[in-house]
Amino acid sequence: MLHRDVAPGIHLITRHSVNCYLIEGDDGLTLVDAGLPDFWRPIGVAIRELGHSPEDLKALVLTHAHFDHVGVARRLVDRLGLPVYAHAKEHFLARHPYRYAHEKPIALYPIRHPRALPILAGVLSGGAFAVRGTDPGEPLLPGRPIPVPGDPQVLLTDGHTYGHCALHLPERDAVITGDALVTLDPYTGRTGPRIVAGAATADSVQALKSLDAIAATNARHLLPGHGEPWHTGAAVAVGMAREAGPA
């Protein structure tokens, strides 16, 4: 479940084809995205395996507020009083994580893409229907660093959702891309750099345009919300995602 140093000082927690990340800073840990409800124990185990205590977790940053990225957010707030950061356009969705815009009917995808069925079954077993919303605090501001451990900089990468943001950590040569760019599409089962299918993307045209912000970082390490980390550079990944196009 824990993969250490997928980029310097950034650690991956993955379960049910859903990823979240712990960023180590001088003053503690930042959690990026909150997975599904059954991520609660794996996150706690990962924190301890890294030599930290739960009190070292200082903030939760949401790349976006779909249910599979908000899973344990409410519990972290209730138990630890953790501040939650998200773009202002994600605040309503964070409170209501199932009320999201998408271009195409979700029900069509398991029929057209049967290899996605095990992935979607795993998401369901992880508590996909049991996510409680949460109230973010201060909004993420594009172009600004967030005052949390690791000081990630905010990149607006809207399209997947209307306020989706990626996090750039230039000193670590890394971008946490969330679902702006993934290497596994849970709705089709396709792998390799791409945007997420229209079953969960609000505006695919804008999502493809937003890849410019990721490419401009020239980061070596791209850390997606679904799929394996990518270590061959932002330009190559973005080119492949554009070639793949929307699904």
Side-chain angles (χ1 to χ4, degrees):
M1 294 182 212
L2 174 65
H3 301 268
R4 295 171 182 254
D5 291 304
V6 291
I10 307 174
H11 314 286
L12 165 64
I13 302 167
T14 186
R15 190 167 169 82
H16 306 302
S17 303
V18 177
N19 300 338
C20 61
Y21 297 90
L22 286 167
I23 303 172
E24 284 192 285
D26 294 335
D27 49 347
L29 299 169
T30 297
L31 178 65
V32 180
D33 290 333
L36 292 160
D38 81 345
F39 271 57
W40 180 256
R41 185 175 181 277
I43 289 171
V45 169
I47 288 170
R48 289 180 172 86
E49 286 186 6
L50 292 169
H52 292 273
S53 68
E55 291 72 27
D56 294 330
L57 188 60
K58 303 301 183 183
L60 167 63
V61 178
L62 300 176
T63 60
H64 65 298
H66 280 164
F67 65 88
D68 57 334
H69 294 258
V70 177
V72 298
R74 178 77 169 272
R75 200 169 177 185
L76 288 168
V77 172
D78 291 347
R79 294 285 187 90
L80 300 176
L82 211 63
V84 180
Y85 293 80
H87 191 280
K89 290 185 178 180
E90 297 296 298
H91 285 202
F92 175 82
L93 186 55
R95 293 190 291 271
H96 309 281
Y98 300 104
R99 295 171 64 177
Y100 57 91
H102 50 92
E103 293 175 324
K104 297 181 180 179
I106 296 172
L108 296 178
Y109 279 81
I111 299 169
R112 294 177 178 173
H113 304 280
R115 62 181 168 177
L117 282 170
I119 300 169
L120 297 175
V123 171
L124 291 174
S125 71
F129 289 142
V131 177
R132 296 188 299 162
T134 191
D135 282 303
E138 293 296 320
L140 298 179
L141 301 174
R144 303 276 189 88
I146 313 168
V148 299
D151 300 310
Q153 298 178 10
V154 179
L155 304 177
L156 180 62
T157 48
D158 54 329
H160 181 63
T161 62
Y162 295 119
H164 189 290
C165 290
L167 305 181
H168 184 204
L169 295 102
E171 293 183 358
R172 309 182 195 214
D173 205 9
V175 178
I176 300 176
T177 60
D179 285 6
L181 185 149
V182 298
T183 57
L184 169 67
D185 184 345
Y187 295 91
T188 65
R190 294 172 180 167
T191 58
R194 62 191 60 248
I195 63 171
V196 175
T201 291
D203 184 338
S204 293
V205 172
Q206 182 57 38
L208 289 169
K209 289 180 180 177
S210 288
L211 295 176
D212 287 344
I214 294 172
T217 67
N218 291 312
R220 176 183 176 188
H221 309 288
L222 300 186
L223 309 178
H226 303 278
E228 298 287 336
W230 177 268
H231 302 294
T232 317
V236 173
V238 166
M240 292 175 68
R242 289 199 170 113
E243 184 176 351

